[in-house]
Amino acid sequence: DSYPEFPVSPLGFESEKLNNGFTRYSYKGQAAAVPEVDFKLEEIKEDGTKIFGVSLASWDAGDVFLSFDYEGDEIRLYENGKLLDDQFWHGKNIGWTVGMRRYGRNAHDFKVEVIPLKKDAPIFIEELPDFKEDYVCTLKDVTAAAKTEVVFEL
């Protein structure tokens, strides 16, 4: 929302005067295309660690964000054997999102490692996962979202 009103609405935007004196500008242009993302379980190690292959198609958007819905002690993102990023699990319904722009807009084949969270781990988590065994280690979903960047001059 803007105050005062812009002299001219930016190209691709529609304006709406609000009751509070502000003007709301809404982008009506083309949204960035979301690239395809796929994942599959590739390996289970002796300690229960699971290795997943995650493929991401190339894109033209300003940035793409991969979101990982997982349960485990830690998740790690690798490409060509190099650790790119990682995160410790924070609890139920709190995923992990990673911006991909820094790795290039080309297609990627990542490896994702989910380290098991043991039932007796000496850590505090407000809401523990549902342990069906002595540990939990799963990657439920991987999704992509594209960021649309709009630049305008007034």
Side-chain angles (χ1 to χ4, degrees):
D1 298 350
S2 172
Y3 181 85
E5 181 178 4
F6 296 148
V8 176
S9 285
L11 186 64
F13 286 78
E14 291 182 1
S15 62
E16 170 192 0
K17 283 206 170 263
L18 304 177
N19 292 335
N20 60 5
F22 283 79
T23 302
R24 175 169 291 151
Y25 295 89
S26 302
Y27 182 64
K28 299 300 178 187
Q30 181 74 20
V34 177
E36 286 186 36
V37 61
D38 290 308
F39 73 101
K40 65 179 180 185
L41 178 63
E42 293 184 349
E43 180 185 348
I44 301 175
K45 294 183 176 182
E46 267 187 51
D47 68 352
T49 296
K50 294 182 180 176
I51 310 292
F52 295 84
V54 177
S55 62
L56 175 67
S58 61
W59 74 90
D60 294 322
D63 202 349
V64 166
F65 297 91
L66 282 187
S67 294
F68 298 87
D69 182 6
Y70 77 101
E71 288 182 340
D73 186 37
E74 184 182 359
I75 188 168
R76 299 174 183 162
L77 178 69
Y78 294 88
E79 188 171 36
N80 298 322
K82 180 182 176 190
L83 176 63
L84 301 177
D85 207 342
D86 65 347
Q87 181 188 34
F88 289 102
W89 192 66
H90 298 288
K92 283 186 172 183
N93 303 316
I94 302 174
W96 179 45
T97 301
V98 181
M100 293 287 112
R101 180 172 52 191
R102 61 188 156 177
Y103 307 121
R105 291 182 169 92
N106 53 302
H108 292 275
D109 287 313
F110 296 112
K111 297 291 182 203
V112 171
E113 187 176 52
V114 180
I115 311 299
L117 174 62
K118 296 182 176 159
K119 199 175 196 174
D120 61 354
I123 60 173
F124 173 78
I125 297 174
E126 248 178 75
E127 189 177 354
L128 291 170
D130 299 324
F131 288 96
K132 292 179 177 44
E133 300 177 45
D134 290 337
Y135 65 89
V136 65
C137 184
T138 184
L139 180 59
K140 298 176 184 178
D141 200 10
V142 180
T143 57
K147 175 183 170 186
T148 300
E149 290 183 347
V150 178
V151 179
F152 60 89
E153 292 184 25
L154 298 176

